[in-house]
Amino acid sequence: MENLRPNGQRAKIAIMLIWMVLTIEIISILSDYLQYDLLQTVANGGQITTETATDNDLRQKIIGFIYLGVYVISGITFIQWFRRAYYNLHIKAATLSFTEGWAAGSWFVPIISLYRPNQIMKELYQETQRLLSTKNENYAQNLTTHFIGWWWALWLISSFLGQFVFRYSLKAETIEELITSTVASLIASIIGIPLALITVKVIKDYSEIEPLLYELNNGEEDQKIISDTDLQPIEN
């Protein structure tokens, strides 16, 4: 039988990077607001210097590049934690709905990515709760899926808004179009704040319970060793 693999460090790294994403989201909100203010000045007939416009563009590009890099790395570490958690659960539960590979692959398949990761996360919570409730008499905690629905809804909204901002900003040329793109970016960043907070909670909640699976696994192995020993004949 395969052994459960440690997942606590992956959870810590994923949470740390989500906090970094959250920090950059807040910085991005401030930067987008400054850009919005400049665009409104121009739209109302005001004047801004070329240096001011150049500095604004440079600031937005730097923040954008940093955000993209941290966001991608954060996504990778989250998926690594997610896949490892589902892998460990597979060792303990023989009736899961999907293979362990889907915990990573489902994020990248069109259409399926809109619902499959959510299904796996719910199953991760629910099946772990069921296993511990039935096999660990000392287990008294409640691993609720209440926040998972909010997590997934915010993730979908954030993803759709992000795609809109990216595509719209590429063709935005007029002041009105630039204002629309900036406002959409502001909204996306604001939504990113509760999304980050709930994602951290989802990881933390499961990570606090997951070690009990290790104890359950060890307990079963110890029991098996005892049972096998009892079956051996006693030599005189």
Side-chain angles (χ1 to χ4, degrees):
M1 180 178 180
E2 294 182 84
N3 295 322
L4 275 70
R5 297 177 181 175
N7 203 24
Q9 188 63 26
R10 292 191 176 198
K12 291 178 180 178
I13 293 173
I15 289 172
M16 178 189 69
L17 283 162
I18 292 171
W19 285 128
M20 291 176 64
V21 170
L22 176 59
T23 300
I24 301 172
E25 291 279 19
I26 294 172
I27 295 173
S28 181
I29 289 172
L30 297 174
S31 183
D32 283 342
Y33 177 78
L34 292 174
Q35 175 166 284
Y36 175 80
D37 190 53
L38 285 179
L39 292 171
Q40 284 292 349
T41 298
V42 176
N44 293 327
Q47 299 292 324
I48 61 173
T49 65
T50 302
E51 182 180 2
T52 299
T54 301
D55 289 345
N56 176 79
D57 291 345
L58 180 60
R59 183 190 69 247
Q60 288 287 85
K61 286 180 181 178
I62 291 174
I63 293 173
F65 281 128
I66 294 174
Y67 177 82
L68 179 62
V70 175
Y71 184 85
V72 170
I73 297 173
S74 175
I76 291 172
T77 58
F78 174 84
I79 292 174
Q80 286 177 328
W81 165 80
F82 188 48
R83 179 170 182 167
R84 175 63 59 82
Y86 203 54
Y87 167 86
N88 284 338
L89 185 59
H90 258 283
I91 293 176
K92 299 305 302 170
T95 57
L96 297 184
S97 303
F98 312 100
T99 64
E100 169 248 339
W102 272 114
S106 62
W107 293 91
F108 306 102
V109 181
I111 307 300
I112 289 178
S113 62
L114 297 177
Y115 60 89
R116 182 61 54 77
N118 182 47
Q119 291 176 330
I120 293 176
M121 183 67 83
K122 283 185 177 180
E123 186 172 46
L124 188 67
Y125 266 58
Q126 292 170 344
E127 188 63 20
T128 299
Q129 170 77 6
R130 186 192 67 78
L131 277 172
L132 293 175
S133 296
T134 56
K135 295 186 179 183
N136 187 339
E137 61 182 16
N138 296 320
Y139 177 72
Q141 300 184 61
N142 183 28
L143 192 60
T144 176
T145 59
H146 176 71
F147 284 96
I148 293 178
W150 286 104
W151 164 70
W152 192 244
L154 287 171
W155 164 253
L156 290 178
I157 294 171
S158 178
S159 298
F160 288 135
L161 268 176
Q163 291 181 26
F164 171 80
V165 171
F166 176 73
R167 294 175 182 176
Y168 194 86
S169 62
L170 290 177
K171 63 179 183 179
E173 297 179 354
T174 67
I175 294 298
E176 290 74 17
E177 289 174 337
L178 290 170
I179 289 175
T180 299
S181 175
T182 302
V183 170
S185 179
L186 267 168
I187 295 172
S189 294
I190 290 172
I191 291 174
I193 293 175
L195 172 59
L197 294 174
I198 291 177
T199 303
V200 167
K201 179 171 177 55
V202 167
I203 297 173
K204 277 187 173 181
D205 285 352
Y206 191 79
S207 295
E208 289 175 358
I209 301 300
E210 189 175 18
L212 296 178
L213 288 177
Y214 296 83
E215 296 175 9
L216 185 63
N217 183 59
N218 291 337
E220 289 182 352
E221 287 182 348
D222 292 343
Q223 183 62 44
K224 183 177 184 301
I225 292 173
I226 293 172
S227 298
D228 290 343
T229 301
D230 290 342
L231 293 174
Q232 297 295 325
I234 300 174
E235 298 181 359
N236 294 325

